[in-house]
Amino acid sequence: YQRRVRGGAQRDAPADNKTDLLKGSRYSTLQTDTGKGNERNQRDRNDQRERGEKADKSDRGAERPDRREQEPKASKSPALTFEQFDTKSEAILEEFFSSNETKEVVECIKELNCPNFHHEFIAKGILNAMEKKESDRIALASLFHEFKLSGVMPEDQLIKGFQASVKDIEDFIIDVPTFPLNIGIILGTSIANNDTSLARLPEILSELVNTGRAESILPALFDVLFDQGLDVKKMYEESKVNIQSFLKPSNRNADYLSKYLAKHDLGVLTGASPARTKVGKKVFEKQSPAQEENEADSE
């Protein structure tokens, strides 16, 4: 009877007691392992869900790029056509010759943002200066020097500008007989300012040699260098240029060269004379290049 009572009490025991009775049994171990497996499975599902959400966000982000990336960047002002650049250059030069403000011109050229046309500005400036005062031509050379100092125009642009300005010399010399003298002053001042050098004269004057115009430019050029108190003989020797190579082919003989050097007081360059006997550009105050040419032809 007591055994039956105890057996019934155990059957009627609450669930908690039933769990206690199962502790340590094989079922208890299985249940514990199953619970842990469920927890791991739940964590795996959570991780997969989080990765899926991140992937969705990434895809949505790729489909909808940042608005800031879609906004077009501010572009530089479009380059001017040559005609537009030429018109603006004319206005800039007109203002320059009335004020001689070099720094203001430099800023204007920078704003135009047309580096491919810079040599055209050089040429236009030279041609515009032909009929102006000598002080204007010196000021123009100072402007070229400011271009170099500011990095706006390299030496090659200056050379191209001089080349462009002298290629049509035969047309301009009709209206401006002093063209060779004037271009010589500007070019000589640029060399004195170290914006270019005697070594690059062949590039600038090569197309004028056969017509005899190159030899008519050199005297004024060298006068400027001597007037600046430079060691012109040393500059000439270091440049490796030969003054005879600038003479008209038919004039390349010892007799003509001797007369040419004596006439323009350039014998010091070749050692034909120990020193200069005349004072700079005063030589050119006596006669125009056209008169000099007539003299050379008669000789």
Side-chain angles (χ1 to χ4, degrees):
Y1 173 77
Q2 290 177 349
R3 283 196 298 270
R4 285 198 301 272
V5 172
R6 284 197 296 270
Q10 289 176 351
R11 284 193 300 271
D12 296 335
D16 289 343
N17 293 339
K18 202 178 283 189
T19 302
D20 291 340
L21 291 173
L22 291 173
K23 282 182 181 179
S25 68
R26 186 176 172 187
Y27 176 78
S28 173
T29 304
L30 180 61
Q31 186 183 42
T32 302
D33 292 340
T34 303
K36 291 180 179 179
N38 291 338
E39 291 177 4
R40 282 195 300 270
N41 291 338
Q42 185 64 37
R43 284 197 301 270
D44 290 342
R45 285 194 294 272
N46 291 341
D47 292 342
Q48 289 175 356
R49 186 167 56 252
E50 289 177 3
R51 285 194 295 270
E53 290 174 355
K54 289 180 179 179
D56 290 342
K57 288 180 180 178
S58 176
D59 293 340
R60 287 195 298 270
E63 293 170 2
R64 294 193 299 273
D66 192 343
R67 239 179 235 176
R68 289 172 296 182
E69 295 179 1
Q70 292 180 334
E71 292 177 358
K73 295 181 179 179
S75 59
K76 293 183 178 179
S77 57
L80 302 176
T81 64
F82 174 73
E83 289 74 16
Q84 292 171 325
F85 179 83
D86 189 61
T87 300
K88 290 181 179 294
S89 295
E90 188 71 42
I92 292 171
L93 286 166
E94 183 178 353
E95 177 64 26
F96 168 73
F97 284 122
S98 65
S99 66
N100 290 344
E101 290 290 337
T102 58
K103 293 186 182 299
E104 184 176 339
V105 175
V106 169
E107 291 305 315
C108 289
I109 293 298
K110 284 181 180 179
E111 290 175 6
L112 293 183
N113 190 30
C114 296
N116 292 337
F117 297 147
H118 283 175
H119 64 284
E120 297 289 351
F121 182 88
I122 297 290
K124 179 175 283 291
I126 292 171
L127 296 177
N128 284 8
M130 286 297 104
E131 295 184 276
K132 296 188 179 295
K133 299 177 294 183
E134 184 173 325
S135 59
D136 290 327
R137 290 186 280 276
I138 300 298
L140 182 66
S142 298
L143 174 60
F144 297 163
H145 185 57
E146 192 66 36
F147 282 151
K148 182 178 180 181
L149 292 179
S150 63
V152 172
M153 294 188 196
E155 183 181 357
D156 285 345
Q157 288 278 18
L158 183 63
I159 297 298
K160 288 178 67 176
F162 274 110
Q163 289 172 331
S165 67
V166 301
K167 69 179 181 180
D168 296 323
I169 188 172
E170 299 302 327
D171 295 330
F172 290 107
I173 206 168
I174 297 172
D175 297 322
V176 187
T178 57
F179 191 100
L181 167 66
N182 296 344
I183 194 77
I185 291 172
I186 298 172
L187 182 52
T189 305
S190 292
I191 293 173
N193 290 339
N194 202 33
D195 298 325
T196 186
S197 65
L198 287 175
R200 304 203 68 173
L201 279 182
E203 297 176 62
I204 300 171
L205 303 179
S206 60
E207 293 187 9
L208 308 182
V209 172
N210 291 338
T211 61
R213 298 301 182 188
E215 63 184 78
S216 66
I217 290 173
L218 292 183
L221 183 155
F222 281 109
D223 279 342
V224 171
L225 299 181
F226 280 113
D227 286 349
Q228 293 291 326
L230 301 172
D231 189 344
V232 184
K233 186 176 188 301
K234 182 179 179 181
M235 293 170 63
Y236 175 74
E237 292 172 348
E238 290 178 347
S239 70
K240 305 298 183 184
V241 299
N242 184 350
I243 198 168
Q244 190 167 351
S245 66
F246 295 101
L247 302 181
K248 192 176 179 178
S250 60
N251 294 336
R252 294 176 188 172
N253 57 76
D255 184 54
Y256 182 88
L257 177 62
S258 178
K259 290 178 180 179
Y260 178 83
L261 294 176
K263 178 180 179 179
H264 301 295
D265 201 14
L266 297 175
V268 66
L269 298 178
T270 62
S273 61
R276 278 171 60 86
T277 59
K278 299 174 184 177
V279 183
K281 294 183 284 298
K282 289 184 178 179
V283 175
F284 297 93
E285 293 174 0
K286 297 179 181 179
Q287 54 189 1
S288 69
Q291 292 172 318
E292 291 181 359
E293 183 180 1
N294 292 335
E295 277 190 17
D297 291 338
S298 63
E299 290 174 1

